[in-house]
Amino acid sequence: MSGTVSLIAALALAEAAQGAAIADFGTTDPVPGANDVSQFGSGNNSDGLNYYSDNGNSPGQTFTTGVNASGYGLVSLYVKTGGYDANNTGTAQTYTLSIYSVSGSTATLLSTYITDNVLGFTDGAWLKYTGITNIFQPNTVYAYTHHRNGPGWDGMGCATGNPYAGGEICLISAAGGAISFGGTHNSDAAFMANLSPITDPFVFPTYINKPSAVGGSSVVISAGVSSGTHPISY
């Protein structure tokens, strides 16, 4: 294919939204790997929160990374829609995934991803984000939020009983700041963070925006660069 190809570092400033992709993964739970963080029970036990994807403060979850000394790359993220209260989920639209670092009840925005593709789905399905390029430190608390950018709403999957002890259900504004937790701190989202231990060198899966292009047009390839023996090159 002819055209201009630009290579960009994936560690963009938090203020600049990055591209990502979203897909309907279906209703079967994803299979976690050895380093993944996950909680698969779901329902509408939102612990008093307005846990809907159109909420001004978006629904999400805090979670804690493992012990790998070099940290982890966030390769993909799965979130489950609730299957209990939704409107207009079949309408194709874009979505926003935000990633935060967490200290106590405060979230600091690290990355904002707006999907390059549109998606409609059946309520109750898992949604899978790819094209993510965040690097996480070990033994550290982070959070994600998921937000729909078009009309309608859907309640996100969540469960009570503290099934995942390393974090909890929450609401966070797009810019970060104070986190809203549930009243009992006893509920978790249905989610899976696909984490890959950092190695030398570490390479994220290549993500091309847009996945296809007409000859002569431009595309952007995001290539995550996080760590490794210098010099680092594309």
Side-chain angles (χ1 to χ4, degrees):
M1 178 187 71
S2 62
T4 302
V5 177
S6 301
L7 295 178
I8 62 172
L11 302 182
L13 296 176
E15 291 80 5
Q18 304 171 57
I22 192 168
D24 183 342
F25 190 76
T27 57
T28 301
D29 292 346
V31 178
N35 298 285
D36 296 344
V37 178
S38 61
Q39 194 288 113
F40 296 131
S42 64
N44 60 349
N45 299 300
S46 58
D47 204 11
L49 298 178
N50 184 21
Y51 206 61
Y52 285 77
S53 64
D54 66 325
N55 192 15
N57 288 345
S58 302
Q61 169 84 12
T62 63
F63 59 92
T64 305
T65 56
V67 300
N68 183 57
S70 297
Y72 300 87
L74 178 61
V75 176
S76 60
L77 185 88
Y78 299 75
V79 296
K80 190 174 185 182
T81 59
Y84 57 86
D85 187 14
N87 172 267
N88 217 33
T89 60
T91 298
Q93 59 184 280
T94 63
Y95 301 82
T96 297
L97 172 69
S98 298
I99 304 295
Y100 307 85
S101 61
V102 174
S103 177
S105 59
T106 300
T108 299
L109 179 65
L110 298 177
S111 300
T112 301
Y113 299 92
I114 299 175
T115 60
D116 296 310
N117 65 305
V118 295
L119 177 71
F121 60 91
T122 301
D123 187 34
W126 284 92
L127 305 181
K128 179 183 179 180
Y129 284 98
T130 55
I132 311 168
T133 53
N134 287 88
I135 298 296
F136 292 156
Q137 296 300 310
N139 303 303
T140 303
V141 181
Y142 294 91
Y144 74 84
T145 60
H146 160 82
H147 187 84
R148 62 188 296 151
N149 300 331
W153 68 83
D154 55 297
M156 302 302 295
C158 47
T160 193
N162 197 30
Y164 169 63
E168 59 181 295
I169 196 174
C170 63
L171 303 175
I172 306 176
S173 74
I179 302 173
S180 297
F181 292 110
T184 68
H185 303 277
N186 199 36
S187 291
D188 290 300
F191 77 103
M192 188 178 91
N194 177 206
L195 302 178
S196 180
I198 296 297
T199 56
D200 181 7
F202 184 81
V203 180
F204 280 104
T206 301
Y207 172 66
I208 299 176
N209 169 24
K210 301 175 178 177
S212 61
V214 177
S217 63
S218 298
V219 297
V220 175
I221 301 176
S222 297
V225 177
S226 60
S227 63
T229 301
H230 286 231
I232 298 175
S233 61
Y234 292 114

